[in-house]
């Protein structure tokens, strides 16, 4: 009996290649692709973090561009794959989740895949077709923090999805990816040695061209940038209000700035972390002094 339990545990960990229940997309808004050594599977996500679009500050133009693209998609019109690149904590993944909140009632569904799952793209598309044979939903494959090494096999798999392989991609599937790297692959100093001059034009070498070519396959290319001090404090205010804190700015401003300085970043993520720190510590002090 103990041996059987061990075998079952190993099979669950590695993926036993058998059939598993597919998510019911009339009930769930999001799913996760689990990449396993012996076969991945699609699993529904019961509780999804869905921020409000209006709470994402400092990225108005970017929000508008991705929102328009997503509205086209859920309306059944042509739309583009999107690469959201930029600094950490600037709202890239939060924007994708906010779009799910806004358009879930119109059939939008998000499928989260990790970078290892890029190799399973044919299996993911097959699973989506089986789960939604009538193509009633619009699926965004969402890969957060996407990047590749020089010899990463996922690089070619993603190029095939974006440019089209032998098997056509369904019209109800898009890819939204986020990355800290503008061109998804590391840049090395040696790449600069391949650049050469042709008249007044600077021509990149083959290595640099290859690295740039992948990001250019995304039809929508959106940059996210660090916030200035005023925007950072505005975002802190919103997160504090969500936690029920109405303390005047003057009382927490200096501590919020020190918090950002210690973290080396002014971003939405840092603002949310500060708000949790401030709200939690003040609530604890209030309890202890009662």
């Amino acid at each position: 009996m103990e041996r059987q339990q061990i075998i079952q545990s190993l099979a669950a960990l590695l993926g036993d290649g058998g059939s598993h229940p597919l998510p019911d997309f009339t009930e769930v808004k999001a799913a996760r692709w689990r990449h396993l050594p012996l076969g991945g599977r699609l699993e529904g996500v019961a509780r999804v973090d869905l921020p409000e679009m209006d709470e994402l500050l400092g990225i108005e133009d970017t929000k508008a561009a991705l929102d328009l693209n997503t509205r086209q998609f859920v309306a059944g019109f042509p739309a583009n794959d999107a690469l959201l690149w930029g600094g950490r904590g600037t709202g890239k993944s939060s924007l994708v989740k906010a779009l799910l909140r806004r358009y879930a009632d119109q059939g939008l569904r998000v499928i989260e895949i990790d970078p290892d799952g890029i190799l399973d793209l044919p299996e993911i598309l097959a699973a989506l077709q089986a789960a939604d044979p009538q193509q009633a939903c619009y699926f965004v494959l969402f890969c957060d923090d996407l990047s590749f090494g020089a010899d990463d096999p996922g690089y070619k798999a993603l190029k095939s999805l974006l440019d089209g392989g032998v098997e056509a991609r369904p019209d109800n599937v898009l890819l939204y990816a986020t990355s800290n790297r503008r061109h998804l692959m590391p840049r090395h100093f040696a790449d600069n040695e391949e650049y050469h001059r042709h008249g007044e034009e600077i021509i990149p070498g083959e290595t640099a061209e290859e690295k740039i070519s992948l990001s250019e396959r995304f039809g929508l290319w959106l940059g996210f940038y660090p916030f200035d001090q005023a925007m950072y404090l505005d975002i802190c205010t919103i997160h504090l209000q969500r936690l029920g804190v109405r303390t005047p700015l003057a009382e927490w401003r200096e501590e919020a700035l020190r918090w950002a300085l210690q973290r080396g970043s002014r971003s939405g993520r840092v603002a949310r972390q500060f708000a949790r720190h401030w709200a939690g510590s003040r609530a604890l002090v209030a309890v202890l002094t009662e």
Side-chain angles (χ1 to χ4, degrees):
M1 183 67 178
E2 184 177 348
R3 179 182 178 185
Q4 183 66 24
Q5 290 176 340
I6 293 175
I7 292 174
Q8 291 175 350
S9 298
L10 286 173
L13 180 63
L14 298 175
D16 54 15
S19 60
H20 298 273
L22 291 168
D24 180 356
F25 286 108
T26 64
E27 299 293 334
V28 297
K29 299 176 181 178
R32 179 185 299 108
W33 178 261
R34 286 195 63 195
H35 173 77
L36 300 168
L38 300 182
R41 59 176 176 262
L42 200 59
E43 300 177 342
V45 177
R47 297 179 60 189
V48 187
D49 177 22
L50 297 177
E52 291 278 2
M53 185 76 76
D54 294 341
E55 294 174 356
L56 304 179
L57 300 179
I59 53 172
E60 300 308 320
D61 292 343
T62 305
K63 280 197 302 185
L66 195 61
D67 181 72
L68 176 60
N69 191 68
T70 306
R71 277 194 288 140
Q72 293 170 203
F73 181 48
V74 298
F77 301 135
N80 280 307
D81 300 307
L83 174 62
L84 286 60
W85 66 272
R88 64 190 190 278
T90 49
K92 301 184 296 296
S93 59
S94 294
L95 178 54
V96 176
K97 291 183 286 187
L99 288 167
L100 175 58
R101 183 187 189 106
R102 175 170 286 186
Y103 295 110
D105 290 343
Q106 298 180 38
L108 185 66
R109 300 292 183 265
V110 168
I111 311 300
E112 185 178 41
I113 56 177
D114 61 30
D116 290 335
I118 293 294
L119 295 172
D120 299 333
L121 284 171
E123 290 79 8
I124 295 172
L125 295 180
L128 292 178
Q129 185 174 8
D132 181 37
Q134 304 301 319
Q135 294 192 346
C137 297
Y138 297 90
F139 296 105
V140 167
L141 304 182
F142 174 48
C143 190
D144 197 18
D145 199 18
L146 180 64
S147 62
F148 297 104
D151 300 317
D152 197 317
Y155 178 82
K156 292 183 178 179
L158 184 58
K159 286 179 68 174
S160 177
L161 175 75
L162 294 172
D163 268 356
V166 174
E167 181 180 5
R169 192 204 320 182
D171 291 335
N172 66 331
V173 176
L174 280 185
L175 175 67
Y176 286 179
T178 73
S179 178
N180 294 333
R181 296 174 178 172
R182 186 172 186 174
H183 295 299
L184 297 175
M185 296 183 68
R187 296 292 302 273
H188 301 292
F189 186 78
D191 295 346
N192 295 332
E193 298 176 358
E194 296 184 0
Y195 282 77
H196 59 277
R197 180 172 178 174
H198 180 71
E200 295 300 316
E201 187 177 2
I202 298 176
I203 307 298
E206 290 184 1
T207 302
E209 283 280 17
E210 179 71 9
K211 292 180 177 180
I212 293 171
S213 68
L214 178 59
S215 59
E216 288 185 341
R217 283 171 165 80
F218 288 88
L220 203 57
W221 208 33
L222 302 173
F224 290 68
Y225 304 96
F227 300 137
D228 60 22
Q229 179 172 295
M231 184 60 66
Y232 166 71
L233 293 173
D234 285 344
I235 297 172
C236 286
T237 300
I238 286 179
H239 284 298
L240 285 169
Q241 290 174 348
R242 290 185 68 186
L243 295 171
V245 177
R246 298 293 187 269
T247 309
L249 170 64
E251 292 189 24
W252 52 262
R253 181 180 184 277
E254 293 304 319
E255 188 165 346
L257 295 178
R258 283 196 298 271
W259 183 274
L261 184 62
Q262 291 168 355
R263 303 301 295 268
S265 172
R266 287 193 299 253
S267 68
R269 179 181 299 150
V270 171
R272 183 176 66 250
Q273 291 167 347
F274 165 74
R276 292 175 64 86
H277 157 73
W278 177 270
S281 62
R282 293 307 177 276
L284 180 61
V285 168
V287 170
L288 295 177
T289 55
E290 286 181 355

